[in-house]
Amino acid sequence: MDLHLSHLLEHYGYLAVFIAGLFEGETMLMLGAYAVHEGYLSLWPLVACGAAAAFLIDQFYFHLGRRKGAELLVRRPKLRAHIERVNGFVARHPVATIFLMRFAWGFRVVLPAALGMGRMRAPTYAALTAIASVVWATVVSLFGVTLTGWIHASVGRLRPYEHQIILAALVITLVIALFRQWRSRR
């Protein structure tokens, strides 16, 4: 069996984008966009995998906030005031909150959990998050393909360095995921 990286990308690239996208979406979509530009993957399945991962992780944190949020608020009374402020903004701007949340790096765990602790209904959240996830994955993927094109035009073809680029992106994804885990346990 040929274990060349291009073979692995063509056969497991979408699965890798989906699984790693549960932990670090932008990095994986940008890496996937590079693979689209190089002809290993196709754009719309990449968008679908990125959007599915984003949707599922948002649902996870929303429902975690819904189920465990009351316990957390009892243990941390100061957090209640922050949640009430978030709920006030969400009540006034529910659609904007969910769409902006997708692009707010660093808040994509906190905001869904806070929304789950709030008054937003789960079906409303799911519908809005589904749309926002598709828009987000499309924007990030198209930006990644365009950026790869610009880099190719200015620096030349990246194919001789693709293994290093992919390895670097995977290492960055792993480091970010581990940092988030470490920070969440503090």
Side-chain angles (χ1 to χ4, degrees), residues 2-131:
D2 180 19
L3 289 179
H4 191 267
L5 185 59
S6 61
H7 178 77
L8 292 172
L9 276 173
E10 290 169 355
H11 288 86
Y12 303 106
Y14 300 116
L15 180 62
V17 167
F18 174 76
I19 292 171
L22 293 169
F23 303 99
E24 181 49 48
E26 279 91 357
T27 303
M28 287 314 296
L29 277 178
M30 294 296 281
L31 183 58
Y34 170 78
V36 166
H37 191 273
E38 293 299 304
Y40 296 124
L41 302 177
S42 297
L43 179 63
W44 298 114
L46 173 71
V47 168
C49 289
F55 175 79
L56 287 176
I57 202 68
D58 284 353
Q59 293 304 304
F60 171 79
Y61 286 118
F62 177 86
H63 289 285
L64 182 67
R66 177 82 18 117
R67 295 191 75 207
K68 299 291 185 180
E71 292 173 30
L72 182 64
L73 293 177
V74 166
R75 287 184 279 150
R76 295 186 177 183
K78 289 183 180 180
L79 185 59
R80 181 177 300 280
H82 296 297
I83 297 301
E84 287 305 317
R85 273 189 288 167
V86 168
N87 285 335
F89 181 82
V90 171
R92 291 185 307 274
H93 312 286
V95 175
T97 300
I98 292 173
F99 275 85
L100 292 174
M101 175 184 76
R102 269 284 92 224
F103 293 92
W105 194 81
F107 292 99
R108 279 193 239 123
V109 172
V110 174
L111 285 174
L115 290 166
M117 288 184 237
R119 296 179 199 102
M120 183 171 281
R121 294 178 51 232
T124 302
Y125 180 78
L128 290 172
T129 302
I131 296 165

Side-chain angles (χ1 to χ4, degrees), residues 148-161:
T148 301
W150 290 341
I151 292 170
H152 278 193
S154 62
V155 178
R157 304 248 348 127
L158 295 176
R159 193 164 283 234
Y161 310 104

